[in-house]
Amino acid sequence: MEKIEFKECKTNEEMIAAFPVMKQLRTHLNEETYISLVTEARQKDQYRLFALYEGNQIVAVAGFKPMITLYYGRFVWVCDLVTDQAKRSHGYGEKLLNLVHDWSRKEGYERVSLSSGLQRKDAHRFYEDKMDYDKVSYVFKKEL
């Protein structure tokens, strides 16, 4: 197994390098829109994008942001978490989510939350069985 390391994607080049993996989760995005949204979210929402490298290859990415609401208090919202399809079931998602947990604790946040599409049964098993997340609500949306 090659060396594993985490790197925060801050530059356009680093964000572009992470795009092929992110595209597997966010299939509706093209590279230009992705860069624009990540850049704006970093500026306005404290969004952080981390890549997990195995050697020189990005095998998983996670995007998250700190938030404060009356319901959850101080927490971190995981906006995006995806492992490259060819690299799944090797523990990369767990490693990356643990990085989010560690970052959150260090920064003084009380919990981590996320949503997952109804069709993503394997992801639900991962969050509940492997990562000990509780299913606490449904997420609703309305297109305007």
Side-chain angles (χ1 to χ4, degrees):
M1 182 178 212
E2 293 193 50
K3 180 182 172 193
I4 300 291
E5 70 176 316
F6 301 99
K7 184 174 186 178
E8 185 169 6
C9 302
K10 294 180 178 180
T11 68
N12 276 6
E13 293 76 24
E14 292 165 340
M15 289 185 274
I16 289 167
F19 180 68
V21 175
M22 183 66 80
K23 176 78 172 164
Q24 293 175 36
L25 177 66
R26 304 295 177 220
T27 58
H28 63 286
L29 294 177
N30 62 39
E31 189 176 283
E32 181 180 332
T33 303
Y34 159 79
I35 294 298
S36 174
L37 289 171
V38 170
T39 300
E40 183 176 4
R42 284 176 47 81
Q43 293 169 350
K44 294 181 178 177
D45 272 348
Q46 301 178 59
Y47 179 84
R48 312 292 289 264
L49 181 65
F50 280 84
L52 190 158
Y53 284 79
E54 180 184 53
N56 293 327
Q57 180 184 9
I58 295 176
V59 296
V61 294
F64 61 92
K65 63 183 181 176
M67 296 179 69
I68 301 170
T69 66
L70 298 179
Y71 180 69
Y72 283 132
R74 292 175 46 78
F75 71 104
V76 168
W77 182 260
V78 179
C79 307
D80 315 288
L81 177 67
V82 60
T83 299
D84 186 298
Q85 192 168 13
K87 297 289 189 169
R88 291 189 183 146
S89 298
H90 289 90
Y92 299 124
E94 180 179 2
K95 288 178 182 1
L96 204 44
L97 200 49
N98 281 329
L99 171 99
V100 175
H101 296 164
D102 293 343
W103 185 95
S104 301
R105 279 187 208 94
K106 185 180 130 226
E107 297 296 323
Y109 291 92
E110 300 164 349
R111 60 195 47 85
V112 173
S113 298
L114 55 84
S115 69
S116 179
L118 295 172
Q119 76 284 3
R120 300 191 67 225
K121 305 286 188 206
D122 290 339
H124 303 167
R125 277 192 298 278
F126 168 72
Y127 296 129
E128 291 177 304
D129 298 343
K130 182 104 177 159
M131 300 305 297
D132 203 28
Y133 275 63
D134 295 319
K135 190 184 309 179
V136 297
S137 67
Y138 287 98
V139 174
F140 296 92
K141 76 173 186 175
K142 179 178 177 81
E143 298 291 332
L144 301 177

